[in-house]
Amino acid sequence: MIASFPFMTTYDPPGTSEGTLDPLGLYQIADQLAVQLVPAVRERMRRIRFVTAMAVGAIVTEGLEQYPKHLDASPYLIWEWLVVEAIVRQMADGSDIGGVPGRHMARRAIDQHGYLDARSYLKTPRIFGFHGIYKRLAVHLGLVDVHLGLGPNAEKLADAWARGQGLARLSEAKPIISRWQEAVRKSLNEKPPRAKPGWIGEKWAELARSFAPASARATEKHFLEELLLESEDRPLGAFPAIWQLQERYDDDQFREEDLHDRLEKRQPKYKPLLDAIRGYEAFARSLQDAFDVLKAEAAGPDAQGFVVSEIASDKDFKRSVTGLHKRFDTAHRALGEVTITSLSIQNLFAERFKLFSEPLDAGSCALALCEHHLKVQRGKAADGKRPWFDRLGPDRIYVRHRYREARRDIAPDRYLHEYRGRPIGRFRADLS
């Protein structure tokens, strides 16, 4: 008998996958503060009309659940492929198509093989695609349920949408709903599933016109505005006040810091939360600016790496870290005034950033910053994520080429994170 042994692959140590986002672990607390300010709205939301596409889509896909399930498709996901493909096929790049999730990927897929599918566009809508991005808001507004089925307000919005299409009521939209339902069914039954309804140009144009981001009509706009501003049983926190403060929204000139100053004057009850945001952002901006300066300067030397303590003489780095412990104290106290039921945000802040709670000279702070980044990357998954640099010694690092960027100016007077003012302003612009 001949013994056989398993074939062995080359050793792949744990923690070798990339962790390309949030290198200092700053986002979680900012996101929790933003949720307190405006529940259910996320910073990646831009075009409110996608909740209409979701509501109508819930009607289109109703009853299709009994069809065979596929690992990489579902009726509502097929609907998303069709809507996005229609918009991308019919509309040129510009402001009217801006904010369409995955539009560049969709255009590439159409150019290469003529349709969208799980491989070329989107497999699961957890955080990408309009179902993933807008699900929380659509659920909050009662347009869909947590499984993306019909919510209590779906047919009301769909009726407003139908009237905007020149129909007397939703029931008159049955022919077009049936046509879209057949397109979903046909695409779902492709092997593998793909957006291939067998349409010619006009049917794609019809779907694109129906849900183009900037093409909502008055009845639909009015209903969406009422849902966002007047739902007493589904309040959106500071949303109505922020909406009112952005009568003339300009994406290029938008400054959330100024918006928060005006919001505090308009609604003083938000002062403790806004103070927590300001305190946390002052600390977070200092930390991020210091890390960016260090990373940019460390990218200069090559094989021999960079001596971390040498960054202490850099004026921007020194400005960023001087008084960092005081900003830590200010943020810590302010966060203690904010109650978040899911976690103690003050304790989370203290534990995560304790390295910066005591006075440090610039050289020591640079070393602490490196250690903090390593800790954040190690904690991102069960096996950790690779850091953005390699340690060549206790005081020497080598920045990997993927993370080398030109040096940027520090921005000590600007927030690092967004707090939902931009999507609210964009919503208002689309509904005006």
Side-chain angles (χ1 to χ4, degrees):
M1 179 177 177
I2 299 175
S4 62
F5 297 92
F7 289 102
M8 302 297 288
T9 60
T10 303
Y11 174 62
D12 184 21
T16 57
S17 61
E18 302 290 341
T20 59
L21 301 175
D22 197 21
L24 302 177
L26 293 164
Y27 176 77
Q28 183 183 5
I29 290 174
D31 186 58
Q32 290 288 336
L33 292 170
V35 169
Q36 287 293 105
L37 186 65
V38 184
V41 176
R42 294 294 179 264
E43 67 270 21
R44 296 186 66 233
M45 297 177 181
R46 286 293 183 271
R47 313 307 292 263
I48 188 60
R49 205 168 187 220
F50 281 113
V51 301
T52 301
M54 293 174 70
V56 175
I59 296 171
V60 170
T61 58
E62 188 179 23
L64 293 180
E65 291 79 7
Q66 73 270 24
Y67 277 75
K69 296 291 184 182
H70 299 273
L71 294 176
D72 54 1
S74 59
Y76 67 80
L77 192 54
I78 296 285
W79 170 249
E80 173 157 340
W81 296 349
L82 292 169
V83 171
V84 171
E85 182 168 339
I87 292 172
V88 171
R89 278 179 179 273
Q90 299 298 316
M91 301 178 68
D93 286 333
S95 59
D96 284 349
I97 198 175
V100 176
R103 65 187 185 279
H104 300 302
M105 189 182 304
R107 195 176 297 283
R108 184 166 59 249
I110 295 167
D111 290 343
Q112 288 177 352
H113 49 259
Y115 57 80
L116 302 190
D117 61 5
R119 178 180 58 83
S120 65
Y121 173 68
L122 181 67
K123 186 173 184 178
T124 57
R126 293 178 184 171
I127 57 174
F128 300 107
F130 65 76
H131 280 96
I133 293 171
Y134 293 88
K135 178 180 178 179
R136 192 179 297 265
L137 180 59
V139 170
H140 188 89
L141 296 176
L143 300 174
V144 298
D145 61 24
V146 294
H147 303 294
L148 297 172
L150 281 172
N153 289 324
E155 291 192 352
K156 297 175 185 176
L157 176 55
D159 185 74
W161 162 82
R163 293 170 188 273
Q165 305 304 302
L167 304 172
R169 59 186 64 84
L170 178 58
S171 60
E172 292 190 5
K174 283 185 178 180
I176 191 172
I177 296 291
S178 296
R179 186 157 60 247
W180 289 341
Q181 189 172 63
E182 178 60 26
V184 172
R185 182 185 292 111
K186 193 170 183 179
S187 298
L188 188 62
N189 288 332
E190 287 282 320
K191 299 182 191 264
R194 65 193 73 182
K196 290 196 72 174
W199 287 347
I200 57 175
E202 176 52 34
K203 289 183 180 178
W204 285 114
E206 178 185 57
L207 181 57
R209 287 194 302 269
S210 297
F211 299 104
S215 299
R217 301 299 182 184
T219 307
E220 180 187 342
K221 287 182 177 181
H222 180 69
F223 186 82
L224 283 170
E225 186 171 334
E226 279 191 338
L227 273 183
L228 292 167
L229 300 179
E230 300 176 14
S231 297
E232 294 182 1
D233 58 330
R234 301 172 185 271
L236 284 169
F239 188 110
I242 294 173
W243 174 286
Q244 293 166 9
L245 290 168
Q246 298 197 80
E247 183 176 356
R248 293 182 181 87
Y249 175 75
D250 185 332
D251 197 53
D252 293 331
Q253 300 298 318
F254 176 75
R255 284 181 60 104
E256 201 142 30
E257 303 88 348
D258 298 337
L259 177 64
H260 285 181
D261 290 342
R262 291 184 288 130
L263 175 60
E264 183 179 328
K265 291 178 181 178
R266 176 75 63 90
Q267 298 275 343
K269 67 180 179 180
Y270 289 110
K271 177 176 171 53
L273 178 56
L274 294 172
D275 282 345
I277 290 172
R278 294 179 185 116
Y280 181 68
E281 284 300 308
F283 174 83
R285 171 57 73 179
S286 296
L287 211 63
Q288 187 67 55
D289 278 351
F291 183 74
D292 289 344
V293 170
L294 172 60
K295 183 163 62 74
E297 292 303 306
D302 205 354
Q304 75 274 21
F306 179 78
V307 178
V308 175
S309 57
E310 290 183 359
I311 199 67
S313 60
D314 185 280
K315 66 175 185 177
D316 284 343
F317 183 88
K318 194 170 184 178
R319 180 182 178 187
S320 297
V321 301
T322 297
L324 187 59
H325 68 289
K326 295 180 181 178
R327 289 189 280 280
F328 176 96
D329 287 341
T330 299
H332 186 258
R333 286 196 302 272
L335 290 170
E337 300 299 316
V338 177
T339 302
I340 296 179
T341 56
S342 60
L343 77 166
S344 170
I345 199 167
Q346 186 184 46
N347 290 344
L348 175 62
F349 175 80
E351 181 179 351
R352 181 165 296 177
F353 302 107
K354 60 186 176 183
L355 283 175
F356 309 101
S357 62
E358 300 294 335
L360 295 171
D361 61 63
S364 299
C365 194
L367 290 170
L369 197 55
C370 291
E371 185 59 37
H372 176 73
H373 170 65
L374 293 172
K375 181 180 177 182
V376 168
Q377 295 297 92
R378 285 195 298 265
K380 282 185 175 177
D383 292 329
K385 299 289 185 180
R386 289 189 70 184
W388 291 15
F389 55 75
D390 296 319
R391 297 293 288 265
L392 302 182
D395 189 27
R396 191 180 292 271
I397 63 174
Y398 173 81
V399 177
R400 292 187 291 116
H401 283 275
R402 180 174 184 176
Y403 301 102
R404 297 187 177 194
E405 296 177 346
R407 180 163 173 166
R408 299 188 296 265
D409 292 336
I410 62 174
D413 62 334
R414 298 301 306 271
Y415 284 0
L416 179 63
H417 303 97
E418 296 190 350
Y419 289 88
R420 316 311 191 235
R422 197 179 298 274
I424 294 172
R426 183 66 260 177
F427 289 175
R428 178 163 183 168
D430 276 353
L431 297 180
S432 62

